[in-house]
Amino acid sequence: MADAKVIPFDDDRSRARRRPARAGGEAAAVRALPGPQGPLEPEEGREGIRGAGAGTEAGETRGTGEVSGAVVGASDGSSGAGVRAGAGSWERRLAGGLSFLRRRITGEYEVDEFGYDEELTDQVLLSLLRPLYEKYFRVEVKGVENIPAEGGALIVANHSGTLPLDGLMMQVAVHDRHPAGRHLRLLAADLVFVLPVVNELARKAGHTLACAEDAERLLRAGEIVGVMPEGFKGIGKPFGERYKLQRFGRGGFVSTALRAGVPIVPCSIVGAEEIYPMVGNAKTLARVLGFPYFPLTPTFPWLGPLGAVPLPTKWTIQFGEPIPTDSYAPEAAEDPMLMFNLTDQVREQIQHTLYKLLVQRRSVFF
């Protein structure tokens, strides 16, 4: 397989290509066409698919006149127009899929210097996660407008659930619910990048090592970066301590945001704690396997692979009011007292929102 073209991260043209202007309602349009899809052309095909899925008027979006006209005709009672629309849709999807496969085989696709593959993420990875997000966990998103429409921002969230599915669901939420369809670049632990297969998929999806240098570079480039300061202490805590935030480290994420001059957006996730109720930890086995913990739940490992299926809990993800950092002087990033105060402010805001969401929800599953 041919090598993909590597895009320098500070290339303005590549950033413009990766974040094209998006019309309102794109998230619903993408969901209307589930499964791996590839655009006919990098820009024109993508516009056509969005226009057809959104049900725009005939001729409003390039490449959608025929499909839109057929849909309008079908609404007036013309069954023939509906058949033509369905046939055109399948032909478009088949052609897009074949075009996508050709680009993957020939290496005619681009990645940035972190290994992020936007086309693969949009057309395949997010499409695979979307049914879990929409149908299984039925994620409800609040306050997404608090994420800036452009420029960098650091999203700080609680971490839970034994397996880090909360980060993946947050990634889908930011892309599908934000009006600008922004991409979330998650900071992941070292373990993610030493596991086979997981390592490659994480890089392709835009995740990178949780270090200050990479995070600051992404933020200065205008990306949305996500971090979960609780780390393994958060996802590996026992079920009896659910929704009680663990220590947020030494406030390194605050220092990074101060140096980059970007706002900090607190994020509270409810529902992830119950997908794998961790009632025990086989520490000896975890040490042998090199894992931070080995969870024991009511179903795992007793039911084998079936025990690894998460419970279908109802999730809520709420993005809080952003905390600006651009008013601080550059040397503020070296002030330990300021970092402590801001870290505590972010943590308290997330904890308070968690308690509020827990009071409001009717049930763990509904």
Side-chain angles (χ1 to χ4, degrees), residues 73-91:
S75 65
D76 293 334
S78 173
S79 60
V83 172
R84 288 196 301 273
S89 174
W90 279 107
E91 290 174 1

Side-chain angles (χ1 to χ4, degrees), residues 51-259:
T56 55
E57 295 181 359
E60 180 179 335
T61 307
R62 288 180 297 170
T64 63
E66 180 181 350
V67 175
S68 299
V71 172
V72 171
S75 65
D76 293 334
S78 173
S79 60
V83 172
R84 288 196 301 273
S89 174
W90 279 107
E91 290 174 1
R92 183 185 301 276
R93 293 167 65 179
L94 178 60
L98 293 175
S99 178
F100 174 80
L101 290 175
R102 177 186 59 79
R103 288 193 297 273
R104 310 314 293 187
I105 294 173
T106 59
E108 296 178 11
Y109 62 94
E110 299 172 340
V111 298
D112 69 16
E113 64 187 69
F114 291 94
Y116 173 49
D117 188 333
E118 182 181 344
E119 182 185 48
L120 182 69
T121 300
D122 285 352
Q123 305 301 330
V124 178
L125 302 181
L126 290 182
S127 295
L128 292 174
L129 291 172
R130 203 163 278 124
L132 194 66
Y133 170 92
E134 294 176 347
K135 305 298 183 183
Y136 199 77
F137 294 134
R138 295 147 291 147
V139 180
E140 179 184 0
V141 180
K142 300 179 180 180
V144 72
E145 66 278 0
N146 289 317
I147 301 175
E150 58 183 17
L154 182 66
I155 298 179
V156 182
N158 59 303
H159 208 12
S160 61
T162 304
L163 291 181
L165 295 180
D166 50 0
L168 300 178
M169 294 301 101
M170 186 168 64
Q171 186 177 15
V172 180
V174 171
H175 181 267
D176 284 9
R177 295 293 183 253
H178 196 279
R182 303 206 64 180
H183 290 88
L184 177 65
R185 309 291 293 271
L186 288 168
L187 302 181
D190 300 15
L191 179 62
V192 172
F193 300 103
V194 299
L195 295 175
V197 182
V198 174
N199 168 31
E200 189 67 21
L201 289 176
R203 288 290 185 188
K204 293 289 187 181
H207 311 330
T208 189
L209 192 64
C211 66
E213 292 77 12
D214 285 1
E216 186 176 350
R217 186 164 173 78
L218 286 166
L219 291 170
R220 290 187 182 278
E223 299 287 342
I224 299 292
V225 177
V227 62
M228 295 172 162
E230 291 177 282
F232 291 124
K233 299 189 300 295
I235 57 175
K237 64 178 177 288
F239 187 66
E241 298 180 14
R242 59 192 180 279
Y243 298 114
K244 296 178 181 178
L245 293 183
Q246 305 298 299
R247 185 171 173 268
F248 267 24
R250 301 178 181 177
F253 68 91
V254 170
S255 177
T256 301
L258 287 169
R259 283 195 293 267

Side-chain angles (χ1 to χ4, degrees), residues 260-321:
V262 300
I264 300 173
V265 181
C267 176
S268 303
I269 304 173
V270 165
E273 292 275 16
E274 295 90 359
I275 60 173
Y276 295 111
M278 185 170 164
V279 296
N281 179 15
K283 295 182 179 180
T284 303
L285 185 56
R287 193 177 305 112
V288 171
L289 296 175
F291 295 159
Y293 56 88
F294 188 89
L296 302 176
T297 75
T299 59
F300 182 83
W302 330 114
L303 299 183
L306 185 62
V309 177
L311 296 178
T313 58
K314 175 73 170 64
W315 287 34
T316 301
I317 299 178
Q318 179 162 336
F319 299 97
E321 291 285 340

